[in-house]
Amino acid sequence: MGNHLTQTEDKLFMLMKCSPTGMVEIDLTGAIINLNAQAELLLSPFISAPDNTSNNFYDILATADPELTDKIKRFIEETDNTADQGSPLFTFIPGSGNNETRFNIQVNKLSPESILLTFVDTTDKLKKERLLKQAILEKNVLQGKFEIASNVLQDIGNAVEGFSSYLPR
């Protein structure tokens, strides 16, 4: 039984490590216990930042967004949520302009001492939504111009027809 449990735990750990969703397990103080490859990739600009000397998730997050760090801490303190209950999505937006990155972060308590944070990078989705909105706006502008031109041509046609009715035949 014990060997089977170890095999299952190893499989789950490997699943977590290879997941396309970033996952970070922290304790109540914010110390990082486990970090999968995707989370390491997503957080690498903050973990390897020259001004970061900490292995604490809260410290790493606070360098980019102190307000979000406080929100997550308060949520963890005020709720007894477990993985079954889920949590609201927190949006983390470090950078700005072309360097803007957007993450949705979900917080779940695995146990009273362990918290799982899952990260999904929604930057590409956001950029695609912006491009779609821009394309729709441009289409509407062109359609408006076409309608104006159509109305002007209709008015010119009416004027020519009205003017021609005054000409002797």
Side-chain angles (χ1 to χ4, degrees), residues 92-154:
F92 176 45
I93 311 173
S96 61
N98 290 338
N99 296 329
E100 180 181 274
T101 307
R102 181 179 287 256
F103 301 111
N104 284 341
I105 303 174
Q106 189 166 6
V107 181
N108 291 298
K109 283 188 178 177
L110 299 176
S111 70
E113 307 84 31
S114 179
I115 295 125
L116 177 68
L117 301 150
T118 55
F119 296 80
V120 177
D121 185 351
T122 57
T123 307
D124 289 338
K125 181 181 176 185
L126 178 69
K127 286 179 181 177
K128 287 176 184 175
E129 287 174 358
R130 286 180 180 164
L131 286 173
L132 180 62
K133 286 179 184 176
Q134 183 65 29
I136 290 170
L137 181 63
E138 288 173 5
K139 177 188 167 266
N140 290 341
V141 167
L142 286 174
Q143 186 174 352
K145 288 179 180 179
F146 174 77
E147 288 174 5
I148 290 170
S150 176
N151 289 338
V152 167
L153 288 174
Q154 180 70 34

Side-chain angles (χ1 to χ4, degrees), residues 29-120:
T29 65
I32 297 174
I33 300 168
N34 282 312
L35 180 74
N36 76 351
Q38 185 65 19
E40 193 170 339
L41 179 70
L42 295 174
L43 296 175
S44 65
F46 311 104
I47 292 172
S48 61
D51 57 340
N52 178 40
T53 57
S54 176
N55 190 28
N56 186 294
F57 177 77
Y58 296 139
D59 294 343
I60 293 167
L61 188 61
T63 60
D65 194 341
E67 188 177 313
L68 179 62
T69 305
D70 293 337
K71 284 181 187 177
I72 290 174
K73 282 181 180 179
R74 274 195 312 275
F75 175 77
I76 291 169
E77 291 168 0
E78 294 171 359
T79 186
D80 61 345
N81 97 319
T82 61
D84 297 336
Q85 296 171 329
S87 77
L89 289 177
F90 297 96
T91 303
F92 176 45
I93 311 173
S96 61
N98 290 338
N99 296 329
E100 180 181 274
T101 307
R102 181 179 287 256
F103 301 111
N104 284 341
I105 303 174
Q106 189 166 6
V107 181
N108 291 298
K109 283 188 178 177
L110 299 176
S111 70
E113 307 84 31
S114 179
I115 295 125
L116 177 68
L117 301 150
T118 55
F119 296 80
V120 177

